[in-house]
Amino acid sequence: AALVRHTIHALSSLAQLDVLPQRALPHRIERPASVSARCKDEVAVLRAVAEKLGFSRYAQELMADLFLDYAHLAGAWAETPEALTAAIFLFAEINCIDLTHITELYRVFGSDQKNVDAAAARMRGRLGCVSFDPRYLGEEGFVTMLYAVVNGK
């Protein structure tokens, strides 16, 4: 209840909701349905791991969108253990969720930190991701964004 009251207070009196200027908003990626069909198994595994990490169904959906958008643009590059792990870490980064303390996450899909970091950089560059990217912004990220705006960060 206190978080809700604080969020309403931030929205009504403190927040400046021009976090991303209109010109800086990333464009939506139109992907064919065949990408979802091609990556069905990868998305199922991604959702299962995200659920174990405690992500909501909505966050899992956004994470799957992030991965599928990358799969559409990158093709075979996306169908690797590194890309699956990178999707989780990039989604967390966009939403200001710190997963760096979960070091075993790198090994869940059979990868290592160096390769995952490289895959996340490729993914970020190919998709043009920015902090608080509205395409992949979940509930936690939205609330964090409000705090960042209010506190001028």
Side-chain angles (χ1 to χ4, degrees):
L3 177 62
V4 172
R5 283 194 302 275
H6 184 76
T7 303
I8 290 171
H9 173 70
L11 283 171
S12 64
S13 62
L14 302 173
Q16 304 161 9
L17 295 179
D18 189 18
V19 177
L20 289 173
Q22 193 68 24
R23 68 185 180 290
L25 288 176
H27 66 282
R28 240 199 198 320
I29 296 170
E30 299 296 328
R31 66 175 185 268
S34 61
V35 175
S36 297
R38 186 182 81 220
C39 298
K40 179 179 62 170
D41 294 335
E42 288 89 347
V43 169
V45 171
L46 184 65
R47 287 177 199 250
V49 171
E51 185 175 2
K52 294 284 185 198
L53 289 170
F55 284 103
S56 68
R57 291 272 187 222
Y58 180 64
Q60 292 171 37
E61 192 67 34
L62 291 172
M63 200 179 297
D65 286 344
L66 173 73
F67 177 76
L68 290 171
D69 286 349
Y70 181 65
H72 170 60
L73 296 177
W77 275 98
E79 298 171 19
T80 64
E82 292 83 17
L84 284 170
T85 310
I88 294 172
F89 278 104
L90 184 56
F91 177 80
E93 178 187 313
I94 289 168
N95 286 278
C96 288
I97 300 168
D98 183 20
L99 295 180
T100 56
H101 63 283
I102 308 177
T103 55
E104 62 270 10
L105 185 56
Y106 293 105
R107 293 185 298 277
V108 168
F109 293 114
S111 189
D112 59 43
Q113 185 173 356
K114 179 183 169 192
N115 290 330
V116 169
D117 290 345
R122 279 193 307 273
M123 190 177 288
R124 186 182 306 105
R126 183 61 71 97
L127 294 173
C129 293
V130 295
S131 293
F132 305 119
D133 193 318
R135 298 172 295 181
Y136 314 114
L137 191 64
E139 299 98 340
E140 299 92 347
F142 184 77
V143 172
T144 305
M145 177 185 66
L146 292 176
Y147 283 110
V149 171
V150 169
N151 294 322
K153 294 179 183 173

